[in-house]
Amino acid sequence: MIPTCPPDTPLLNQVETPEQLRTLTTSQLPELATQLRSFLLYSVGQSGGHFGAGLGVIELTIALHYSLNTPNDHLVWDVGHQCYPHKILTGRRQEMPTIRQKEGPSPFPKRSESIYDDFGVGHSSTSISAALGMAIADKLRGKNNKTVAVIGDGAMTAGMAFEALNHAAHTNTNLLVILNDNDMSISENEGGLATYLAKNIKDKSAKGRSDGETTAALFEALDFEYTGPIDGHDLPLLLKALSKVLNTPGPQFLHLITKKGKGFQPAEDDPIGYHAITKINPIHQPKQSKVSYSNIFGRWICDLATTDTNLTAITPAMREGSDLIEFAKRFPDRFFDVAIAEQHALTLAAGMACQKIKPVVAIYSTFLQRAFDQLVHDISIQDLDILLAIDRAGLVGEDGATHSGVIDIAMLRVLPEAVVMTPSDATELRNMLYSGYQFNGLAAVRYPRGSVPAHVSGEMTQYKIGTSKTISKGNKVALLNFGPLIENAKAVAEQHNYTLVDMRFVKPLDQTAITDLAKSHELLVTIEDHSIIGGAGSAVSEYLHRSKEKTPLLTLGIPDQWISHASRAEQLSQCGLDEKGIEQAIQRALSI
């Protein structure tokens, strides 16, 4: 059971910094690991957040800070969802119950937060490149600092990791890459590399091999000196291995076998379910059942796949998050989890589309950024028939800027003849997915994280491309809503008797509706959960300029800054996108 009261941690209480950690004897470190694991269980229970990955690197985190001279030496964590123990040991233990909250610690390493956070992360597979850059910079400056990149095997599936490994051999720098091999990313690992690693671990165990020679061949071919695989929870063994590889010149590769969720049996048994948890409810009230936008997508794609055998689903390691679990069970031959490989996901879809298969790519907005060139070069230029289901669009709350999807409209708008849709509720999401699927070409439906304001029936309606829907007619001000902020817009429109139009389509715009509204109102206001630069408001502004309409336009969206982690409600309030903020912005515009 996750503790609801602070555990007794007398040894951990003595360690506020890595310098204090290094004053302990090696015989004290196993007890420190026990207390650190207990504190992590308690603090994540209080705050919610990433869980299993941190439990799996308790011993590794202690061993690294004990062996390195941080912060002078460099320690780069890949993705960063395993960094909670690192934060606890680097001066942030007292703040951990407020992690992910406004003004609390970030859920990922963040350079502006601590001198011990060498590189800000949130997306996967960047650690080796960043660490190599640091090692090269130190070499150029004549420094002899040590540099370590810790990467999970899930992150090794992305091509960027191998690009960095390939380059490292030619730099002859002192770089240590640690593979934290727990056989997991968020879902089970997919692909040949994961299979190769798992097979060779089993082979070693079965045949009594002591040097991991089969796995070594892969990395030694890239001119890394390979050590392992070793037990990543055995502190004495870890310290011995680190002493060796940190004092051996040239590129080093240390392969560790760890258990995601180590030390908490439910997380060990269910590493997917315990990848992250919500905070413990002290009143023990039952959770209310809610339907999310992702759930609506998951039901829609199963419904359509039942009647359309031409449909395939592709996701880059987001089977659970995108709610493709049921689809994967029912249509395994048409489900493709390509692991953490967004670029491959898009071009794989392009190849399928060339052969008249209709792919639906389920991808988070923040991860679509990683495959923009493939979106342009492989899909748009070739005018291929693909539907993008873009989840987590807009502000996502506690995961912060690295996971917010606030630039996807800007990316998609520049692609000729692409269709971009912004549903405002569950019914629209289902119908827009259906409409986008029927469209012959690149179509995208962007929808947010969280629950939907209404349930839907099994019916599907195909919308005419580029048509809006008038919600209410008023005077003086017309609100042009794009997406999930419709309820805030409704409240303002009702209070002031403003016109409210659900625009639905960012591209193509309903130009007829915009022209009519411009001629009959004193002010047009666009509302969107996206950057005001390049977003739906920009599209309306460009159209008004081309059509020489003189009606003033107020664009409301996310300002030109990165929005830090907080609750989604707090983020919207900060951006002036809650009911109060929208109302005040309109009143200011009218008073000018």
Side-chain angles (χ1 to χ4, degrees):
M1 180 178 293
I2 297 175
T4 56
C5 296
D8 187 26
T9 55
L11 188 58
L12 180 61
N13 294 348
Q14 300 176 31
V15 179
E16 290 293 331
T17 66
E19 290 84 354
Q20 292 172 328
L21 168 65
R22 291 189 281 270
T23 66
L24 301 180
T25 64
T26 56
S27 62
Q28 292 176 293
L29 297 184
E31 176 58 25
L32 179 67
T34 298
Q35 294 183 19
L36 178 54
R37 186 166 273 113
S38 296
F39 182 82
L40 180 63
L41 285 167
Y42 162 73
S43 66
V44 180
Q46 296 296 300
S47 65
H50 295 105
F51 189 68
L55 289 171
V57 296
I58 295 285
E59 290 80 10
L60 174 59
T61 306
I62 291 173
L64 282 169
H65 280 296
Y66 195 81
S67 302
L68 294 168
N69 184 28
T70 52
N72 294 319
D73 291 334
H74 308 300
L75 176 55
V76 181
W77 299 95
D78 209 282
V79 184
H81 57 225
Q82 76 278 51
C83 74
Y84 290 19
H86 161 78
K87 288 183 181 256
I88 292 168
L89 293 177
T90 54
R92 288 163 278 184
R93 178 165 56 92
Q94 301 299 333
E95 302 172 74
M96 289 305 290
T98 64
I99 198 169
R100 303 172 75 243
Q101 299 175 25
K102 187 177 182 181
E103 315 252 330
S106 165
F108 304 100
K110 189 174 182 180
R111 281 171 52 82
S112 61
E113 185 177 293
S114 172
I115 59 173
Y116 295 97
D117 291 357
D118 283 281
F119 198 73
V121 291
H123 291 183
S124 84
S125 315
T126 62
S127 61
I128 304 175
S129 295
L132 180 59
M134 294 173 187
I136 291 172
D138 284 343
K139 184 178 179 181
L140 290 173
R141 292 179 177 177
K143 294 183 178 180
N144 195 31
N145 295 351
K146 294 178 171 62
T147 304
V148 179
V150 181
I151 185 167
D153 50 337
M156 287 292 291
T157 58
M160 183 177 178
F162 279 89
E163 291 172 18
L165 288 170
N166 181 61
H167 180 219
H170 298 280
T171 64
N172 196 32
T173 52
N174 297 331
L175 171 68
L176 169 60
V177 175
I178 297 178
L179 173 59
N180 175 34
D181 186 353
N182 62 16
D183 198 32
M184 295 291 297
S185 49
I186 295 177
S187 306
E188 300 94 346
N189 280 324
E190 300 287 345
L193 177 62
T195 303
Y196 176 82
L197 292 172
K199 179 179 182 298
N200 286 326
I201 297 305
K202 291 177 182 177
D203 285 350
K204 180 200 170 203
S205 176
K207 299 176 183 179
R209 291 174 178 161
S210 59
D211 59 355
E213 64 268 22
T214 53
T215 307
L218 173 64
F219 300 103
E220 288 178 350
L222 296 168
D223 286 341
F224 274 77
E225 185 172 333
Y226 175 91
T227 301
I230 67 171
D231 183 353
H233 299 298
D234 185 330
L235 263 168
L237 188 60
L238 262 179
L239 292 169
K240 181 179 179 181
L242 285 173
S243 177
K244 171 182 175 289
V245 295
L246 287 172
N247 291 289
T248 304
Q252 301 292 313
F253 195 98
L254 176 59
H255 186 177
L256 307 181
I257 306 302
T258 62
K259 184 76 173 177
K260 191 170 184 178
K262 175 71 173 178
F264 184 65
Q265 197 61 47
E268 291 189 28
D269 295 340
D270 182 14
I272 297 175
Y274 280 90
H275 173 74
I277 63 170
T278 57
K279 67 175 67 176
I280 295 173
N281 186 342
I283 307 175
H284 299 294
Q285 294 176 340
K287 291 183 179 179
Q288 293 184 346
S289 178
K290 294 183 178 180
V291 177
S292 70
Y293 282 91
S294 302
N295 296 150
I296 298 297
F297 165 74
R299 294 175 185 176
W300 167 82
I301 196 169
C302 285
D303 289 347
L304 194 59
T306 301
T307 58
D308 188 341
T309 58
N310 204 39
L311 181 154
T312 61
I314 300 171
T315 185
M318 285 294 146
R319 181 186 64 193
E320 283 75 23
S322 296
D323 199 10
L324 284 167
I325 302 171
E326 184 66 20
F327 184 94
K329 291 178 181 177
R330 292 175 57 185
F331 310 100
D333 293 341
R334 291 190 272 156
F335 173 70
F336 302 91
D337 184 342
V338 302
I340 302 173
E342 294 86 358
Q343 295 171 312
H344 169 59
L346 270 290
T347 305
L348 176 70
M352 289 182 181
C354 286
Q355 298 305 113
K356 307 305 179 184
I357 289 291
K358 181 71 181 238
V360 178
V361 181
I363 189 168
Y364 287 11
S365 174
T366 185
F367 300 139
L368 180 62
Q369 298 161 191
R370 296 161 66 93
F372 182 64
D373 181 64
Q374 286 68 32
L375 196 57
V376 174
H377 184 271
D378 298 336
I379 295 175
S380 181
I381 289 177
Q382 300 192 94
D383 193 24
L384 293 174
D385 187 17
I386 291 168
L387 174 63
L388 299 178
I390 306 175
D391 203 339
R392 271 56 166 191
L395 296 168
V396 296
E398 291 85 353
D399 282 344
T402 60
H403 281 58
S404 288
V406 297
I407 63 171
D408 53 77
I409 289 177
M411 291 193 304
L412 292 161
R413 278 189 57 224
V414 300
L415 302 178
E417 299 185 17
V419 170
V420 184
M421 292 170 271
T422 57
S424 61
D425 61 24
T427 300
E428 284 200 346
L429 173 57
R430 188 171 172 88
N431 291 337
M432 286 181 182
L433 288 166
Y434 182 68
S435 303
Y437 187 84
Q438 300 304 321
F439 177 76
N440 185 19
L442 175 61
V445 182
R446 72 181 305 263
Y447 48 95
R449 180 183 189 178
S451 57
V452 288
H455 296 286
V456 293
S457 68
E459 297 296 322
M460 298 185 207
T461 300
Q462 185 173 349
Y463 291 156
K464 182 180 179 181
I465 299 298
T467 57
S468 62
K469 176 185 178 182
T470 299
I471 304 296
S472 62
K473 291 185 178 180
N475 55 53
K476 199 170 186 178
V477 176
L479 308 183
L480 283 64
N481 178 78
F482 294 87
L485 302 178
I486 189 77
E487 296 302 318
N488 294 344
K490 279 182 182 177
V492 174
E494 290 172 2
Q495 183 176 352
H496 296 279
N497 193 29
Y498 296 154
T499 294
L500 173 60
V501 178
D502 182 8
M503 292 300 295
R504 292 181 170 172
F505 290 83
V506 176
K507 187 175 185 181
L509 287 168
D510 188 338
Q511 297 180 355
T512 300
I514 295 172
T515 299
D516 291 344
L517 293 167
K519 293 184 183 304
S520 57
H521 293 77
E522 296 178 19
L523 176 68
L524 301 184
V525 182
T526 59
I527 302 170
E528 62 187 304
D529 188 8
H530 182 277
S531 171
I532 58 172
I533 298 176
S538 293
V540 173
S541 177
E542 291 161 13
Y543 171 70
L544 291 172
H545 177 74
R546 289 195 304 270
S547 59
K548 297 183 169 48
E549 293 290 346
K550 303 299 182 183
T551 307
L553 173 67
L554 171 64
T555 58
L556 300 181
I558 298 165
D560 187 20
Q561 64 188 72
W562 295 115
I563 307 302
S564 294
H565 56 281
S567 70
R568 177 169 160 82
E570 289 172 327
Q571 289 179 326
L572 290 174
S573 176
Q574 178 184 341
C575 296
L577 292 173
D578 57 355
E579 180 183 340
K580 179 181 177 181
I582 293 170
E583 183 179 25
Q584 289 179 343
I586 293 171
Q587 294 304 315
R588 286 194 298 268
L590 290 173
S591 66
I592 295 175

